[in-house]
């Protein structure tokens, strides 16, 4: 079955600390992986995506993620968290968006709180 | 927000009544999607459309129907709302040429069924 697991429902970090959000996937074909962020009351914004090539991908707002095929993981990282990073983060997997078709399977999300 | 407008943004309705949510895009994207977001489940796909009058079911389609009579509009209908359909509903679009590999999301509609 195709699925995405985000093991951490809530994470709290101090401002300036490093962050890693975990994501594991199960997908029968070549996975195309995404991380989205959702601020309260807002829609989802794409942070980064992985299709092929370099397994370390850079995104917006200083985030990066590393694809590890052997571990079926796509963990999101940031070296120094800012208070404005407090939000909910979703990992998603899909087939290659050929021609723009981009149906996604989402994880349950990780809610990040940032302490001053 | 990539030219996606969802309406209404908030709605409270009674059990058994029909409800229609609208998604309007100004981006001329080919694909449109309806997701629902619930705590502990993330976003789950309800229905999607790959063109005018072309739609298909997602993983949680029971109790929902959709229609797309124009490229820019994708309607989600709950024929007879139930409390289990209380959720936040998101519309998404994709397939817009240079942005082919990204799905863009609307602001969401919070629906409460009482």
């Amino acid at each position: 079955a195709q699925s995405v697991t985000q093991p951490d429902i809530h994470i709290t970090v101090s401002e300036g600390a490093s962050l890693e959000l975990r994501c594991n996937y199960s997908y029968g074909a070549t996975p195309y992986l995404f991380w989205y962020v959702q601020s309260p009351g807002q829609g989802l914004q794409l942070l980064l995506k992985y299709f092929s090539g370099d397994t370390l991908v850079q995104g917006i707002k200083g985030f990066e993620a590393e694809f590890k095929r052997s571990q079926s993981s796509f963990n999101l990282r940031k070296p120094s968290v800012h208070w404005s990073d407090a939000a909910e983060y979703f990992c998603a997997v899909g087939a290659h968006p050929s021609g723009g078709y981009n149906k996604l399977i989402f994880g349950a999300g990780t809610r990040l709180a940032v302490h001053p | 927000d990539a030219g996606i407008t969802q309406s209404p943004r908030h709605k409270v309705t009674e059990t058994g009544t029909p409800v229609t949510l609208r998604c309007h895009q100004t981006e001329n994207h080919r694909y449109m999607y309806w997701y629902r977001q619930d705590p502990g489940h993330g976003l789950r796909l309800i229905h999607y459309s790959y063109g005018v009058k072309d739609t298909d079911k997602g993983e949680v389609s029971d109790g929902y129907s959709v229609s797309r009579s124009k490229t820019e509009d994708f309607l989600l209908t709950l024929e007879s709302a139930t409390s289990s359909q209380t959720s936040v509903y998101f519309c998404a679009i994709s397939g817009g040429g240079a942005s082919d590999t990204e799905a863009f999301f609307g602001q969401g509609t919070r629906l409460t069924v009482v």
Side-chain angles (χ1 to χ4, degrees), chain B residues 60-77:
Chain B
V60 290
S61 60
D62 287 349
Y64 302 94
S65 62
V66 290
S67 65
R68 192 172 179 196
S69 59
K70 298 184 290 185
T71 298
E72 58 266 35
D73 288 325
F74 192 33
L75 305 181
L76 176 70
T77 297

Side-chain angles (χ1 to χ4, degrees), chain A residues 35-95:
Chain A
W35 274 99
Y36 282 86
V37 60
Q38 183 183 32
S39 298
Q42 301 297 310
L44 277 70
Q45 180 183 22
L46 182 67
L47 283 176
L48 48 78
K49 58 193 175 189
Y50 172 76
F51 287 170
S52 63
D54 192 346
T55 56
L56 184 64
V57 295
Q58 302 297 320
I60 62 171
K61 304 184 180 187
F63 285 92
E64 66 179 26
E66 185 171 13
F67 171 60
K68 293 185 177 180
R69 186 183 298 274
S70 62
Q71 299 177 20
S72 298
S73 69
F74 189 55
N75 294 348
L76 182 71
R77 302 194 294 249
K78 187 170 185 179
S80 178
V81 170
H82 188 262
W83 64 266
S84 60
D85 293 323
E88 189 154 23
Y89 292 80
F90 293 95
C91 181
V93 66

Side-chain angles (χ1 to χ4, degrees), chain B residues 50-110:
Chain B
Y50 47 96
V52 173
K53 298 187 179 179
D54 292 323
T55 65
D56 205 349
K57 296 179 179 180
E59 64 175 306
V60 290
S61 60
D62 287 349
Y64 302 94
S65 62
V66 290
S67 65
R68 192 172 179 196
S69 59
K70 298 184 290 185
T71 298
E72 58 266 35
D73 288 325
F74 192 33
L75 305 181
L76 176 70
T77 297
L78 291 65
E79 301 290 348
S80 177
T82 67
S83 59
S84 65
Q85 294 175 312
T86 293
S87 187
V88 181
Y89 292 86
F90 285 97
C91 174
I93 64 174
S94 70
S99 301
D100 250 9
T101 58
E102 181 174 348
F104 298 91
F105 286 80
Q107 296 281 68
T109 294
R110 182 174 296 276

Side-chain angles (χ1 to χ4, degrees), chain A residues 4 6-7 10 13 17 19 21 28 30 36 40 47 49 51-52 68 75 81-82 85 101 105 110 114:
Chain A
V4 176
Q6 295 181 244
H10 297 279
V13 299
L19 172 70
L21 303 183
T30 300
Y36 282 86
L47 283 176
K49 58 193 175 189
F51 287 170
S52 63
K68 293 185 177 180
N75 294 348
V81 170
H82 188 262
D85 293 323
Y101 176 57
I105 299 168
T110 297
V114 180

